[in-house]
Amino acid sequence: MIVITVGKSYIDIDGYASSIAYRELLRLKGIESKFVSNATVNYSIIDSLKSNYTVDNYLVNSNDKYIVLDLSDKSYFPDFVDENNIIEIIDHHPGYEDYWNSKIGCNALIEPIGSVATIIVEKYEQDNLLDKMNKDVAMLLMAAILDNTLNFTANITTERDKEAYKKLEVLINEYDYASKYFSECQKYIEDNLKESIDNDIKIQKVSEHLPNVFGQLTIWNADDLLRQKDLINQIMSNYNNEWMLNIISLNNNSSYIMYSGDSVKNKLVELLDCKEENGILIKTPAMLRKEIIKKAL
Ligand SMILES: [Mn+2]
């Protein structure tokens, strides 16, 4: 059996959607495969995307061959994967291109692109099977492209990602999916605010210009969250008396930065050249945490 799999610790929507869509593509070509993973699905796989198209209940055995998606760093492979039985790898994380090219040649496709989902869409096209793609599968791939490219604002975004997304929009006749997808993600974050902050916090002394505690949330529209300043204050103060929280609002491509007090604020104003409104710093276009850190260094 061919077993498609992803990273062992958690699955995000890109790995999840790509695995399901690739299994369905192989099926359309008359090749049977299974999508096997024991990893936890993260918040990017929203409830409305959970359907009959999901992981398979299949027990792997020593005769199985593996296709690994959205991953090429061996240390994150699931324990059941035998490296010598890997027949294909598709990924967009840099670092292991040479290793896999020397091992499996052109069956390793590792390239700088916004999402693996984009590559899977292109594979359907190459096989002339895009019009046979199931609508649930197309929607999964759309969510994956949106999530991994931060609605096409992340630096890794390419024209290929935008092209693939447009083709899926046409295929399922859905032209407002970005707001639907990110709004549902947002609802989860708002309903589980502490958990969401806790799951994406960086505690580290990186620079004189930044507090040691640096949180980040990515949502569609920051308005409601900005009204929850007191609650956010409470959550963040539990970590340290000096902190900042970068709330990336995708609909207007802005960062709203909350902070513990004047000393943090003054450093940030100087570093980022941003304005303050009602005790919140605003930076347009939005900056990712890794970009802010890069600037501080
Ligand atoms: Mn990915």
Side-chain angles (χ1 to χ4, degrees):
M1 180 61 72
I2 294 173
V3 170
I4 301 172
T5 193
V6 294
K8 68 175 164 188
S9 46
Y10 74 89
I11 324 179
D12 81 343
I13 184 67
D14 193 29
Y16 185 79
S18 297
S19 296
I20 290 168
Y22 203 33
R23 177 188 67 198
E24 298 310 310
L25 175 62
L26 293 176
R27 180 171 299 164
L28 289 169
K29 294 165 78 172
I31 302 163
E32 202 192 341
S33 67
K34 301 285 184 192
F35 170 28
V36 179
S37 172
N38 310 313
T40 325
V41 295
N42 87 348
Y43 62 84
S44 66
I45 302 159
I46 51 176
D47 282 345
S48 65
L49 288 174
K50 289 172 185 156
S51 71
N52 292 331
Y53 290 94
T54 185
V55 291
D56 291 303
N57 199 346
Y58 172 78
L59 204 60
V60 296
N61 67 66
S62 57
N63 297 318
D64 292 331
K65 304 283 180 205
Y66 298 98
I67 297 175
V68 179
L69 298 184
D70 201 24
L71 173 72
S72 49
D73 178 350
K74 280 197 286 186
S75 51
Y76 294 101
F77 285 2
D79 298 333
F80 59 77
V81 172
D82 174 356
E83 194 188 325
N84 296 313
N85 286 332
I86 291 177
I87 52 171
E88 189 173 10
I89 290 189
I90 305 173
D91 189 23
H92 62 148
H93 298 88
Y96 297 88
E97 296 87 339
D98 293 344
Y99 178 82
W100 289 109
N101 283 335
S102 71
K103 256 192 114 87
I104 56 172
C106 59
N107 289 326
L109 184 56
I110 305 170
E111 43 184 355
I113 192 166
S115 69
V116 168
T118 298
I119 300 173
I120 304 295
V121 174
E122 291 171 352
K123 285 194 170 289
Y124 272 80
E125 281 189 289
Q126 285 152 15
D127 288 319
N128 267 317
L129 288 167
L130 193 57
D131 58 338
K132 299 271 191 316
M133 187 191 285
N134 176 281
K135 297 208 163 177
D136 288 341
V137 173
M139 196 166 272
L140 281 168
L141 291 168
M142 286 170 82
I145 296 172
L146 289 170
D147 174 86
N148 268 217
T149 65
L150 290 181
N151 197 28
F152 307 105
T153 61
N155 282 328
I156 45 163
T157 309
T158 68
E159 280 307 310
R160 287 165 61 192
D161 298 299
K162 294 175 188 169
E163 283 301 313
Y165 187 82
K166 272 187 212 147
K167 283 170 186 155
L168 297 172
E169 275 186 321
V170 173
L171 186 72
I172 67 167
N173 193 27
E174 166 61 85
Y175 298 91
D176 188 32
Y177 192 58
S179 71
K180 287 177 187 159
Y181 174 69
F182 286 115
S183 299
E184 194 175 330
C185 293
Q186 169 164 353
K187 191 176 181 316
Y188 184 86
I189 289 172
E190 286 172 352
D191 292 347
N192 302 274
L193 191 54
K194 186 172 171 355
E195 179 203 308
S196 302
I197 290 176
D198 288 348
N199 286 344
D200 199 359
I201 196 124
K202 205 174 188 98
I203 304 172
Q204 197 185 350
K205 179 84 204 156
V206 282
S207 147
E208 294 302 308
H209 304 284
L210 298 173
N212 295 358
V213 174
F214 192 162
Q216 179 167 278
L217 293 172
T218 305
I219 59 172
W220 182 247
N221 178 329
D223 291 353
D224 286 340
L225 210 53
L226 297 180
R227 280 182 221 114
Q228 305 227 44
K229 225 169 125 190
D230 290 344
L231 177 57
I232 289 172
N233 241 303
Q234 208 183 314
I235 295 169
M236 294 300 294
S237 305
N238 276 330
Y239 284 101
N240 194 290
N241 49 7
E242 289 217 325
W243 55 264
M244 65 184 283
L245 176 68
N246 181 31
I247 300 172
I248 298 171
S249 184
L250 293 168
N251 72 328
N252 58 351
N253 191 16
S254 295
S255 276
Y256 295 89
I257 302 172
M258 295 192 183
Y259 47 84
S260 49
D262 280 345
S263 76
V264 172
K265 181 186 87 177
N266 295 337
K267 287 182 205 164
L268 290 173
V269 168
E270 199 183 322
L271 177 71
L272 302 174
D273 186 29
C274 50
K275 57 176 178 166
E276 186 211 319
E277 257 177 49
N278 304 319
I280 293 169
L281 298 172
I282 305 171
K283 178 79 186 166
T284 308
M287 283 181 88
L288 292 167
R289 174 166 50 202
K290 54 170 149 331
E291 294 169 335
I292 296 175
I293 290 175
K294 205 171 161 194
K295 190 149 191 200
L297 291 173

